[in-house]
């Protein structure tokens, strides 16, 4: 039962004394919990490779829990470097694990959060999942951890949040990497019709391994061979949908979709002050609203081979790279190509 899982999880959390208080900064409200965490948390039973810690905080008149991993740098450099990696809407922080290992080896402390509403984090139902709020939540976590300067890397929805973070906290971002970010086009302005939150929920609550895999094959790995290794990420999501939190998660996805559709970041890209690297897959065709748009409108959406160069030209201090033949998740589809590009530019 959901009640039992919630009670068990929070009993374990509250019974342990290993709680680290947030920094004294007035913008930091919350505590870091680094004690025992149940393997199945908020509907996610996926095994994470590092200890799961919890950031307990409040906003929108609700008590929230953000799960995250904190991976130390394996090489100790004189200049301490920290990176936060933000996941996409159909991903979790753990999807960045291999990238985190490489960055740790390169001297970075790496923070891998699960956004509020996703994966092992709490899934509030009456919550505004706007991009500004998600960026503020990440900043609250970093403040509680005592991190002031950070490299921000975001993929898909996480790229949209990363761009917003760069706009909201420009003095805190050392460098910004956007990987196939959403929001490089205004879907509504291109003709995507409004779909009610209730209707979006109904389309989400029936999701399972088969439907999720079909979507990712068409959108994320367009014209590519599906690798068995990708199945683990589909199972990761499908297990949440089939858990006691499945209905809650489906409603979160409906709220998130509604928020993202109204907040494309394309119009604010010229205001970015940070050193930025925008990278996209040539074959990426991902677009919000394509599934319920007319064929004429759908044909206009998700052309990252055009959207990427156009967006890069709008960002004042931007380097751009397009991965030939890759789709929406180049760090999964061709990790070596991704790392060659990433580490040739970092710092």
């Amino acid at each position: 039962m959901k009640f039992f899982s919630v009670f068990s999880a929070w009993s374990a959390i509250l019974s342990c004394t290993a709680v680290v208080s947030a920094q004294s900064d007035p913008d930091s409200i919350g505590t870091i919990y680094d004690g025992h965490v149940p393997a199945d948390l908020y509907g996610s039973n996926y095994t994470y490779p590092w200890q799961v810690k919890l950031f307990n905080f409040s906003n929108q008149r609700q008590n929230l829990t953000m799960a995250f991993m904190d991976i130390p740098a394996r090489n100790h450099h004189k200049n301490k470097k920290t990176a936060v990696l933000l996941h996409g809407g159909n991903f979790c922080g753990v999807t960045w694990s291999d990238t985190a290992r490489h960055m740790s080896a390169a001297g970075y402390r790496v923070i891998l959060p699960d956004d509020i509403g996703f994966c092992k984090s709490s899934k509030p139902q009456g919550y505004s999942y706007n991009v500004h709020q998600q960026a503020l939540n990440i900043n609250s976590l970093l403040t509680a951890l005592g991190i002031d300067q950070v490299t921000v890397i975001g993929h898909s929805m996480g790229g949209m949040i990363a761009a917003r973070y760069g706009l909201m906290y420009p003095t805190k971002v050392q460098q910004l990497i956007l990987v196939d970010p959403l929001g490089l086009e205004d879907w509504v302005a291109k003709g995507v019709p409004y779909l009610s939150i209730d209707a979006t929920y109904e389309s989400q609550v029936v999701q399972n391994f088969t439907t999720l895999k079909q979507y990712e094959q068409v959108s994320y790995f367009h014209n590519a061979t599906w690798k068995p290794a990708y199945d683990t990420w589909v199972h990761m999501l499908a297990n949440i949908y089939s858990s006691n939190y499945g209905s809650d998660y489906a409603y979160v996805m409906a709220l998130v979709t509604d928020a993202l559709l109204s907040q494309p970041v394309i119009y604010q890209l010229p205001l970015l002050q940070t050193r930025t690297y925008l990278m996209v897959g040539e074959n990426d065709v991902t677009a919000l609203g394509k599934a319920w748009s007319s064929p004429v409108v759908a044909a206009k959406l998700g052309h990252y081979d055009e959207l990427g160069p156009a967006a890069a030209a709008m960002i004042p201090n931007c380097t751009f790279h397009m991965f030939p033949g890759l789709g929406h998740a180049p760090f999964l589809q061709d990790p070596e190509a991704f790392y060659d590009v990433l580490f040739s530019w970092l710092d």
Side-chain angles (χ1 to χ4, degrees):
M1 298 292 291
K2 184 193 296 187
F3 173 79
F4 179 78
S5 62
V6 174
F7 179 80
S8 298
W10 282 105
S11 294
I13 291 169
L14 294 175
S15 65
C16 183
T17 58
V19 178
V20 181
S21 297
Q23 302 296 308
S24 58
D25 188 304
D27 292 331
S28 173
I29 303 174
T31 57
I32 302 297
Y33 172 83
D34 61 0
H36 172 72
V37 173
D40 190 338
L41 190 62
Y42 292 107
S44 172
N45 60 9
Y46 191 87
T47 301
Y48 284 17
W50 296 282
Q51 179 189 3
V52 175
K53 300 182 181 182
L54 304 178
F55 175 47
N56 298 316
F57 64 111
S58 300
N59 62 44
Q60 295 187 32
R61 303 180 69 181
Q62 300 189 60
N63 295 324
L64 306 170
T65 296
M66 181 186 293
F68 68 99
M69 290 176 283
D70 188 346
I71 301 94
R74 281 164 49 190
N75 298 328
H76 299 286
H77 294 265
K78 292 182 180 179
N79 297 321
K80 294 182 179 179
K81 300 178 292 184
T82 302
V84 57
L85 279 55
L86 306 180
H87 65 81
N90 280 324
F91 300 85
C92 299
V94 70
T95 316
W96 280 117
S97 292
D98 194 54
T99 302
R101 292 186 184 94
H102 280 72
M103 296 196 72
S104 173
Y108 281 86
R109 175 187 180 185
V110 183
I111 310 298
L112 299 180
D114 285 346
D115 285 324
I116 291 298
F118 293 83
C119 309
K120 292 186 184 295
S121 292
S122 56
K123 298 169 175 59
Q125 301 296 280
Y127 194 74
S128 174
Y129 287 94
N130 69 78
V131 183
H132 294 81
Q133 180 66 70
Q134 294 284 27
L136 188 153
N137 291 345
I138 297 299
N139 185 64
S140 295
L141 168 64
L142 296 178
T143 301
L145 291 171
I147 298 170
D148 182 63
Q149 296 293 307
V150 68
T151 290
V152 182
I153 304 179
H155 167 244
S156 192
M157 177 194 74
M160 201 168 168
I161 297 171
R164 183 59 57 190
Y165 191 95
L167 291 164
M168 292 172 65
Y169 308 103
T171 61
K172 296 185 176 184
V173 180
Q174 294 173 318
Q175 47 202 350
L176 179 65
I177 298 96
L178 309 177
V179 184
D180 290 86
L182 296 183
L184 297 187
E185 59 185 329
D186 189 331
W187 306 284
V188 175
K190 288 186 175 181
V192 172
Y194 177 71
L195 188 67
S196 71
I197 291 174
D198 290 332
T200 305
Y201 166 76
E202 292 300 332
S203 71
Q204 290 295 318
V205 76
V206 296
Q207 295 283 11
N208 55 43
F209 178 86
T210 300
T211 60
L212 290 166
K213 182 174 179 177
Q214 288 174 343
Y215 171 75
E216 294 191 14
Q217 281 181 305
V218 172
S219 294
Y220 295 170
F221 302 98
H222 184 63
N223 287 337
T225 301
W226 183 268
K227 299 178 183 178
Y230 304 155
D231 284 346
T232 186
W233 308 122
V234 183
H235 280 297
M236 176 183 68
L237 288 179
N239 288 350
I240 301 175
Y241 279 106
S242 64
S243 74
N244 289 337
Y245 283 86
S247 179
D248 290 352
Y249 189 54
Y251 193 65
V252 166
M253 293 300 286
L255 294 175
V256 168
T257 301
D258 187 70
L260 296 183
L261 279 167
S262 65
Q263 291 189 298
V265 75
I266 185 67
Y267 302 117
Q268 287 80 45
L269 291 182
L271 301 178
L272 277 173
Q273 302 174 30
T274 58
R275 178 176 181 256
T276 303
Y277 201 161
L278 172 62
M279 54 182 79
V280 302
E282 179 186 28
N283 291 346
D284 191 359
V285 294
T286 305
L288 288 183
K290 184 185 289 187
W292 66 82
S293 295
S294 69
V296 173
V297 171
K300 303 176 185 178
L301 305 174
H303 298 287
Y304 272 75
D305 57 336
E306 301 173 1
L307 296 172
M314 299 173 66
I315 302 173
N317 184 13
C318 182
T319 301
F320 176 72
H321 181 81
M322 186 181 297
F323 292 100
L326 299 188
H328 188 61
F331 63 100
L332 296 179
Q333 193 173 358
D334 191 345
E336 294 308 316
F338 176 74
Y339 299 141
D340 285 346
V341 172
L342 176 66
F343 288 102
S344 69
W345 184 81
L346 280 176
D347 296 319

